[in-house]
């Protein structure tokens, strides 16, 4: 299950009901913080290594990681002529990735919508490797509402309850 796909609460066939009227066919964006360190590698170069990751849930789409612009290695990005517009997300600006002799066309983008502004997404399949904490990821970003993933981490972990 995913928030915005299939029988998820905001999918095309919600399994449950809300106490207010929500048309699941309406386009919906839900942008939230993701507490994990996420890395993306291209041509053995880290394109991003961030602990300030956000996850975009969009109607009918799998979740997508978005990173603060300053966490993305801009030296690997080349402006692209491609652009897109969306009534929900505004205008998209695209970049291609280049590292050594490797090139990935239109592999990064950002949107003008204020909710998403200042963040860059990366094409999952254009990257060679993805990591959550110290574990390699496969497939696509997981919806945190449908599964619990526990990852090995070299970061310091602190467990608190009620401030203790």
């Amino acid at each position: 299950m995913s928030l915005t796909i299939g029988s998820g609460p905001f999918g095309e066939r919600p399994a449950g009901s809300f106490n207010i009227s929500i048309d699941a066919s309406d386009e919906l964006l839900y942008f939230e913080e993701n507490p994990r360190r996420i890395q993306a590698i291209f041509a053995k170069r880290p394109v991003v290594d961030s602990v300030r990751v956000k996850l975009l849930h969009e109607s009918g789409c799998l979740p997508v990681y978005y990173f603060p612009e300053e966490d993305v290695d801009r030296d690997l990005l080349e402006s692209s002529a491609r652009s897109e517009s969306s009534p929900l997300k505004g205008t998209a600006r695209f970049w291609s990735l280049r590292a050594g002799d490797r090139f990935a066309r239109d592999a990064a983008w950002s949107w003008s919508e204020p909710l998403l502004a200042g963040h860059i997404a990366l094409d999952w399949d254009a990257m060679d490797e993805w990591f959550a904490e110290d574990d390699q990821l496969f497939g696509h970003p997981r919806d945190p509402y449908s599964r619990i993933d526990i990852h090995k981490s070299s970061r310091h972990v602190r467990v608190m309850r009620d401030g203790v």
Side-chain angles (χ1 to χ4, degrees), residues 35 133 151 153-164:
E133 299 297 341
H151 299 285
S153 179
S154 54
R155 291 194 303 156
H156 179 77
V157 175
R158 181 182 215 180
V159 178
M160 296 179 67
R161 180 174 179 199
D162 299 327
V164 179

Side-chain angles (χ1 to χ4, degrees), residues 1 3-4 19 26 29 38-39 51 53 57 67 74-75 77 83 108 111-112 134 136 151 161:
M1 183 176 113
L3 282 179
T4 57
N19 65 332
D26 286 346
L29 297 179
I38 302 294
Q39 300 172 73
V51 294
V53 182
H57 302 268
F67 305 94
R74 302 296 292 246
D75 292 337
L77 301 182
S83 70
W111 290 96
S112 62
D134 298 333
Q136 188 169 2
H151 299 285
R161 180 174 179 199

Side-chain angles (χ1 to χ4, degrees), residues 99-157:
D101 61 351
R102 295 276 311 282
F103 181 78
R105 183 174 310 283
D106 303 330
W109 63 90
S110 65
W111 290 96
S112 62
E113 157 60 41
L115 179 70
L116 307 174
H119 292 83
I120 295 176
L122 301 170
D123 181 344
W124 186 272
D125 294 329
M127 301 301 110
D128 297 323
E129 297 176 291
W130 285 91
F131 292 88
E133 299 297 341
D134 298 333
D135 286 338
Q136 188 169 2
L137 298 176
F138 300 95
H140 57 80
R142 301 295 182 225
D143 185 328
Y145 298 98
S146 61
R147 59 187 283 157
I148 297 172
D149 289 331
I150 299 171
H151 299 285
K152 290 182 224 164
S153 179
S154 54
R155 291 194 303 156
H156 179 77
V157 175

Side-chain angles (χ1 to χ4, degrees), residues 81-93:
R82 179 179 173 189
S83 70
E84 287 183 12
S85 63
S86 160
L88 198 59
K89 297 181 284 188
T91 303
R93 176 179 179 197

